[in-house]
Structures are given as structure tokens and as C-alpha cells.
Amino acid sequence: MRTYIGRQQAISTEDFAELALGTPVELWLGVEGESDEERAAREDAARDILADDPDLTDDLIRMAAQIIEVNPDLFDVIPLTRPTRRHRAARKGVAA
């Protein structure tokens, strides 16, 4: 099944989000390892977009709420337990 936003095909989740928002997701979330200057430029661009389209914030919140409603399991958290020191030592073959 193919998904289109307007005339553009969304192949990945990132494509869908970018086409739905009209901007790259990285503009809002940033990228790993960006410099202070890159972050400042990205934030300036985001502020300009929000100033040009004041309803965008409401649209984003609405979209996020719909995604959460359709996928409530996104917030299912499974606690992970850490082995105790004694357990780690036993695994290494060392007496505790």
C-alpha cells in the first residue's frame, strides 16, 4: 500500500512526517552533533516558520494527539532490572 501526501509519496515515517508538517523533522528536533551556531540557525528558521504560520503549533499538537490516540502503546514502558554485583561476579566465574 502506498501513502501520498498531496502528490508526494511517503516512503518512510520520516517522509510522512516531513510531508505532513511541510518542514523537515530535523528542523524541530535538531540533529546529533550540531554545533551551537547550527542550532542557533535552526532555531531562528523554526521561529520564522512559526511567525509566518501561527496555527502550525496547534496543528502539530493535534497531529501528536491523534498519533497517541491511534498508538497508545508508544508509552508502554517496561522496566529493566540490572544484575546485582554478586550476580555479575558469579557470571564471570569469580566467587562473590
Side-chain angles (χ1 to χ4, degrees):
M1 183 165 127
R2 296 181 185 183
T3 303
Y4 288 87
I5 305 293
R7 294 182 180 177
Q8 299 290 319
Q9 181 179 3
I11 297 172
S12 67
T13 305
E14 290 80 16
D15 288 345
F16 182 79
E18 183 172 335
L19 291 168
L21 294 173
T23 62
V25 175
E26 292 83 11
L27 176 68
W28 308 104
L29 302 179
V31 292
E32 189 173 331
E34 71 182 353
S35 68
D36 290 341
E37 293 83 16
E38 291 169 326
R39 186 182 70 246
R42 178 179 55 77
E43 290 173 347
D44 283 344
R47 275 191 286 279
D48 289 344
I49 289 170
L50 290 173
D52 290 343
D53 186 358
D55 293 331
L56 182 60
T57 304
D58 293 336
D59 294 342
L60 293 174
I61 292 169
R62 192 176 307 106
M63 186 184 309
Q66 289 171 346
I67 290 169
I68 293 167
E69 185 176 2
V70 172
N71 302 290
D73 57 322
L74 289 174
F75 295 100
D76 288 350
V77 178
I78 301 170
L80 301 175
T81 58
R82 287 190 151 172
T84 62
R85 286 191 116 166
R86 188 170 147 234
H87 185 251
R88 282 190 220 153
R91 283 190 6 222
K92 291 181 181 179
V94 178

